[in-house]
Amino acid sequence: MSETPQAPRRGSRNKRLAVALATFTVGMVGLAYAAVPLYTLFCQVTGYGGATRTAVAPAVAEGKARINVVFDANVSDNLGWEFHPEQEKVSLMTGETRTVSYRLKNPTSQPTVGIASFNVAPAVAGQYFNKLQCFCFTEQVMKAGESRDESVTFFIDPAIEQDPQFEGLHTITLSYTFFPDKKPVTEAGKAALAGMNKLSN
């Protein structure tokens, strides 16, 4: 007889446990989705993992060291674009602002949308590589057969000269990779694609 009143309490405990587990699962899924943009933001702020920094103004003054910057361009097999830098490398002083162009072409018969990610090597150089203007992480809508230039404007913080990790460093590689844009296309992108389709018909 004493076990009978415990049954409802046990059922109540099971329901509370189920709700708690469901809440935990939903929370973990939410954190997983949030982790990517948060990690990207962290990398851009700190330069961790070869991510460059975003600057709002050029360097105050040039430094004393000269560094070569090599440009690398890659395209995912799923996109089918052609992509390459207009020049393979530049030599510049730390603190010197430079703009470099990349040539982008969609040789396919369909308009497509791509987006570029980037990193620098060695990875620890990211905290000193500052972009003033860039086409990375921006939806690029390309009509069939279209070609155009995209540019990146950057400088290397003269503070790199004081970092013992960079003693004797002469070369930094800036690498871009274009992927098909997996995010929903923006309204502007949809309008551009619709206009391209009308022109092709």
Side-chain angles (χ1 to χ4, degrees), residues 21-105:
L21 288 174
T23 303
F24 176 77
T25 301
V26 171
M28 291 304 291
V29 171
L31 285 174
Y33 277 102
V36 174
L38 288 175
Y39 179 76
T40 300
L41 178 62
F42 169 76
C43 290
Q44 290 175 342
V45 170
T46 64
Y48 181 78
T52 63
R53 290 188 167 192
T54 301
V56 296
V60 176
E62 290 186 10
K64 299 178 181 179
R66 180 170 291 277
I67 295 179
N68 295 318
V69 178
V70 177
F71 305 103
D72 178 49
N74 307 279
V75 179
S76 166
D77 292 338
N78 298 326
L79 188 58
W81 289 359
E82 295 174 5
F83 176 50
H84 62 83
E86 295 287 6
Q87 52 192 128
E88 293 183 1
K89 67 179 181 179
V90 297
S91 178
L92 71 165
M93 303 298 292
T94 58
E96 178 185 350
T97 298
R98 189 68 63 90
T99 298
V100 173
S101 295
Y102 283 76
R103 189 67 172 170
L104 190 58
K105 181 178 181 179

Side-chain angles (χ1 to χ4, degrees), residues 20 22 30 43 52 71 73 94 118 124 137 143 145 157 171-172 186 192 201:
C43 290
T52 63
F71 305 103
T94 58
F118 66 91
V124 287
F137 301 125
K143 64 184 179 182
D157 192 336
T171 302
I172 294 174
T186 63
N201 292 332

Side-chain angles (χ1 to χ4, degrees), residues 111-113 139-143 146 184-201:
T112 49
V113 183
E139 183 181 83
Q140 302 289 336
V141 181
M142 295 281 289
K143 64 184 179 182
E146 180 183 3
V185 181
T186 63
E187 292 304 316
K190 290 177 182 177
L193 285 171
M196 293 173 187
N197 287 327
K198 286 180 180 179
L199 290 174
S200 62
N201 292 332

